[in-house]
Amino acid sequence: MQIELPANFISMIRSFGDEYAEGLLAALSTTPSVSVRANILKGCSPKADADIVSWCKQGFYLNERPLFAADPAWHQGLYYVQDASSMVYGEVVKHISDNFFSGRGGIRYLDACAAPGGKTIAAIEALPNDALIVANEYDRHRANILLENIAKEGAANVVVSRGDATCYLKHKSSFDIIAVDAPCSGEGMMRKEPEAIRQWSEALIKDCAKTQQNIINALWAALKPGGVMIYSTCTFNRSENEEQLKYIADALGGESINLGLDKYEGVCRGFDTALHCYRFAPGHVRGEGLFIGAMMKPGACETKPARIPAKQLSPFSQQHILKPELFTEICTDDKLVLRSAVHSAFIADLCKTIDIIRSGLTVATIKGRDYIPSHDLALSSTLVAESFPHINLDYAGAISYLRGESLSELPCDSPIGYIIAQYQNRPLGFLKNIGRRANNNYPDFLRLRLDSRALPVEAPIPLIVLS
């Protein structure tokens, strides 16, 4: 694969030194690696012979890119397709949580530029169970993709908001950790996305750097004293990377945190020796471009015990939800929503000022006396699987279900009502047995629309191990 890079871009990369530049420039003409991460919330892990990503024990490389849409396990959220470089977020968040917030409890984490959700998922798996994760996205379409991926992951303690990251100015000193995967010029995506080459210019870099600084200023105000901001981009130039961390240090008083990522082969230290920051670059690691660093806000935060509301759950939720002691239930717009009990009051405050499109796990919609279980509940790791009857589908049946087709042949002893459709003993979603047939409750916007001729006849070989 040959690509033509802008001359000014090549000159900029060469200014970083021969060893770094030669490896990177040569790699930009090669095919990107393919990697996925197993969902530990659902008891999934890589196979024993998997080619593991060194900084992410549940991440691994594939020899080729399969048709993920033809794999029911992808729809079930048993694994997530993610660039290997970005998988380092789990390591970073765990390092910060363990070293700076250990024993504190009730961590609030904001992923300010979250879509499509891979870095949010990494944080979910790295943080304690009583943490609150707020994932924000500005673009409406990308926000919907974020919702889908959060639902597949299965965690209940996640709030999703839609809007400019600066809206969090209204919530000063509210978060312990804020991740800013900043919108950038996208140089790190050049071998994956030809548009990144076409749009590149020095003017774009300046515009992006200005936007990044505005985002940093707003979110720094939302960070608690003693809190940590993780800053990352998928680009290579200094203006959007080291210079932004230097701005946080010089103008905002941030202290650079040593994340120790240069212990991994191929990960380069940043070009400002006064800062602890790291560069992942094609030709040096088996992943795309990523810059990352973390800065601590000066001061100490007073920790106050959270006001925990009475943990009242409807009979429906008491029957179907695992660990009800962690949640409280809100009824809003005829929906039952589980929220983290520790963070319920804070979530209510967010809902007053920010466009919250998920305030917790939607369990069911209420229609008269009926509770219609949600698709998010089917995929949730909080679901007590045995609380619903279930049927196991073969591969052809699973694909039919994912297409939204009615299932006409159920076991003769199948009960009337809601049933979980499973594939390899893991939930795909709900169907409703009405006697003669089963109505498919798989959401229309998620339905598989691939041409049947593109689908394999036989089930794909599993990519992960199920416990």
Side-chain angles (χ1 to χ4, degrees), residues 249-263:
D250 295 346
L252 303 177
E255 177 186 349
S256 182
I257 292 174
N258 186 358
L259 302 173
L261 300 180
D262 48 345
K263 67 186 176 185

Side-chain angles (χ1 to χ4, degrees), residues 95-96 100 220 227-231 241-242 244-250 252-260 269-270 272-278 291-298:
H95 176 90
I96 293 169
F100 300 101
W220 194 255
V228 175
M229 176 175 285
I230 305 168
Y231 178 83
N241 293 327
E242 286 89 351
Q244 297 296 347
L245 292 190
K246 190 174 187 302
Y247 170 79
I248 295 174
D250 295 346
L252 303 177
E255 177 186 349
S256 182
I257 292 174
N258 186 358
L259 302 173
R269 287 294 300 267
D272 188 329
T273 57
L275 298 167
H276 299 288
C277 51
Y278 309 87
F291 172 90
I292 193 166
M295 306 292 287
M296 177 174 284
K297 189 173 184 176

Side-chain angles (χ1 to χ4, degrees), residues 157-235:
N157 57 334
V158 184
V159 169
V160 179
S161 64
R162 184 171 56 211
D164 191 309
T166 58
C167 66
Y168 281 92
L169 260 172
K170 302 170 186 175
H171 296 273
K172 297 185 185 299
S173 301
S174 291
F175 293 93
D176 299 287
I177 307 171
I178 297 180
V180 185
D181 187 38
C184 68
S185 57
E187 295 163 348
M189 294 291 105
M190 281 182 168
R191 67 174 176 173
K192 272 190 172 182
E193 300 175 6
E195 180 60 25
I197 299 174
R198 289 191 291 268
Q199 72 177 7
W200 187 89
S201 70
E202 292 171 339
L204 175 63
I205 290 174
K206 290 180 181 178
D207 288 343
C208 289
K210 183 177 180 180
T211 298
Q212 291 156 1
Q213 203 164 104
N214 291 337
I215 292 172
I216 287 169
N217 285 332
L219 295 174
W220 194 255
L223 189 64
K224 293 178 182 179
V228 175
M229 176 175 285
I230 305 168
Y231 178 83
S232 64
T233 71
C234 60
T235 203

Side-chain angles (χ1 to χ4, degrees), residues 50-345:
D51 187 2
I52 300 294
V53 176
S54 58
W55 48 81
C56 180
K57 63 183 180 181
Q58 67 266 33
F60 56 99
Y61 299 97
L62 303 179
N63 293 328
E64 58 184 6
R65 188 178 189 89
L67 182 60
F68 291 113
D71 186 359
W74 178 74
H75 297 273
Q76 292 167 304
L78 303 186
Y79 64 85
Y80 181 81
V81 184
Q82 185 178 30
D83 173 62
S85 296
S86 296
M87 290 182 189
V88 79
Y89 248 80
E91 167 93 348
V92 169
V93 173
K94 190 173 190 314
H95 176 90
I96 293 169
S97 174
D98 290 350
N99 286 278
F100 300 101
F101 300 99
S102 178
R104 179 178 295 188
I107 294 172
R108 294 180 191 163
Y109 179 95
L110 171 62
D111 189 342
C113 312
K119 296 181 178 71
T120 308
I121 287 170
I124 292 169
E125 296 179 3
L127 289 168
N129 289 335
D130 65 350
L132 174 69
I133 294 90
V134 180
N136 179 73
E137 175 55 41
Y138 173 76
D139 181 85
R140 182 176 295 271
H141 173 69
R142 286 170 57 82
N144 289 336
I145 295 172
L146 174 63
L147 279 173
E148 293 172 22
N149 288 327
I150 294 301
K152 286 181 181 179
E153 174 68 6
N157 57 334
V158 184
V159 169
V160 179
S161 64
R162 184 171 56 211
D164 191 309
T166 58
C167 66
Y168 281 92
L169 260 172
K170 302 170 186 175
H171 296 273
K172 297 185 185 299
S173 301
S174 291
F175 293 93
D176 299 287
I177 307 171
I178 297 180
V180 185
D181 187 38
C184 68
S185 57
E187 295 163 348
M189 294 291 105
M190 281 182 168
R191 67 174 176 173
K192 272 190 172 182
E193 300 175 6
E195 180 60 25
I197 299 174
R198 289 191 291 268
Q199 72 177 7
W200 187 89
S201 70
E202 292 171 339
L204 175 63
I205 290 174
K206 290 180 181 178
D207 288 343
C208 289
K210 183 177 180 180
T211 298
Q212 291 156 1
Q213 203 164 104
N214 291 337
I215 292 172
I216 287 169
N217 285 332
L219 295 174
W220 194 255
L223 189 64
K224 293 178 182 179
V228 175
M229 176 175 285
I230 305 168
Y231 178 83
S232 64
T233 71
C234 60
T235 203
F236 302 123
N237 66 79
R238 294 174 187 257
S239 298
E240 299 178 71
N241 293 327
E242 286 89 351
E243 290 183 19
Q244 297 296 347
L245 292 190
K246 190 174 187 302
Y247 170 79
I248 295 174
D250 295 346
L252 303 177
E255 177 186 349
S256 182
I257 292 174
N258 186 358
L259 302 173
L261 300 180
D262 48 345
K263 67 186 176 185
Y264 296 111
E265 184 178 358
V267 178
C268 307
R269 287 294 300 267
F271 300 141
D272 188 329
T273 57
L275 298 167
H276 299 288
C277 51
Y278 309 87
R279 287 172 167 263
F280 294 67
H284 298 271
V285 299
R286 292 170 63 188
E288 300 312 289
L290 178 78
F291 172 90
I292 193 166
M295 306 292 287
M296 177 174 284
K297 189 173 184 176
C301 179
E302 294 184 14
T303 57
K304 299 178 181 178
R307 180 177 61 84
I308 302 177
K311 304 176 187 68
Q312 297 178 344
L313 299 182
S314 65
F316 178 88
S317 294
Q318 289 177 13
Q319 179 182 357
H320 301 298
I321 303 302
L322 183 67
K323 299 180 181 176
E325 69 277 6
L326 296 178
F327 305 105
T328 189
E329 190 170 72
I330 305 295
C331 184
T332 175
D333 296 329
D334 297 326
K335 296 185 187 303
L336 289 179
V337 179
L338 286 187
R339 292 181 182 172
S340 165
V342 173
H343 301 283
S344 182

Side-chain angles (χ1 to χ4, degrees), residues 1-7 9-10 28-29 190 194 197-198:
M1 179 182 68
Q2 290 295 321
I3 59 175
E4 186 173 347
L5 300 169
F9 171 79
I10 294 173
L28 290 180
S29 294
M190 281 182 168
I197 299 174
R198 289 191 291 268

Side-chain angles (χ1 to χ4, degrees), residues 10-17 21 238:
I10 294 173
S11 297
M12 178 192 72
I13 296 299
R14 291 197 182 283
S15 72
F16 298 156
R238 294 174 187 257

